[in-house]
């Protein structure tokens, strides 16, 4: 391979893959539930220092159930925010954004602070 002064152009990255979130969540939750059942069946043969795996599976099931409620709510909120941004863009005005920071931006006069 010859090294030249020119770098080869990088190909553009592929678009992100979309998945059905509910299917992914429930498959993962089912996996944790199956592991929990298996561990409960063999609980007596587990060494005492390995029984924490039971609680790991319980947490996996609990987080899966929580995620099945939370992820659709999160996606709806993001869709509403995108719709608001698109509506604000159509008017030619965008809503002011407040980052909550009290620092001076590079466009403001140096030496002047916005802190009270």
């Amino acid at each position: 391979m010859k090294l030249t002064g020119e770098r080869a152009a990088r190909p553009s990255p592929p678009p992100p893959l979309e998945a059905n979130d509910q299917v992914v969540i429930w498959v993962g939750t089912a996996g944790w539930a199956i592991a929990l059942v298996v561990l409960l069946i063999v609980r007596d043969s587990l060494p005492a220092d390995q029984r924490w795996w039971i609680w790991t599976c319980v947490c996996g099931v609990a987080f899966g159930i929580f995620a099945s409620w939370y992820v659709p709510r999160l996606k709806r909120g993001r869709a509403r925010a995108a719709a608001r941004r698109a509506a604000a863009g159509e008017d030619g005005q965008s809503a002011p954004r407040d980052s909550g920071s009290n620092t001076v931006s590079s466009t403001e006069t140096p030496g002047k602070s916005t802190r009270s």
Side-chain angles (χ1 to χ4, degrees):
M1 174 160 64
K2 288 186 174 182
L3 295 175
T4 62
E6 296 178 24
R7 297 191 125 201
R10 286 186 151 180
S12 62
L17 297 175
E18 289 294 323
N20 185 342
D21 297 327
Q22 289 297 311
V23 170
V24 173
I25 290 168
W26 284 112
V27 166
T29 304
W32 283 113
I34 291 168
L36 176 62
V37 169
V38 169
L39 286 173
L40 288 175
I41 291 171
V42 299
R43 163 183 55 210
D44 294 333
S45 64
L46 282 176
D49 64 337
Q50 294 296 313
R51 292 194 181 151
W52 61 270
W53 279 106
I54 293 171
W55 291 107
T56 301
C57 293
V58 169
C59 290
V61 170
F63 280 128
I65 292 169
F66 172 75
S68 70
W69 168 80
Y70 180 73
V71 169
R73 180 180 166 112
L74 175 71
K75 290 189 117 183
R76 283 192 305 268
R78 287 181 176 173
R80 281 192 303 268
R84 281 193 303 267
R85 282 193 305 270
E90 290 173 1
D91 297 340
Q93 300 173 352
S94 62
R97 294 176 54 183
D98 182 18
S99 65
S101 174
N102 290 330
T103 58
V104 177
S105 73
S106 60
T107 58
E108 293 178 10
T109 307
K112 301 222 180 202
S113 175
T114 58
R115 292 185 183 184
S116 301

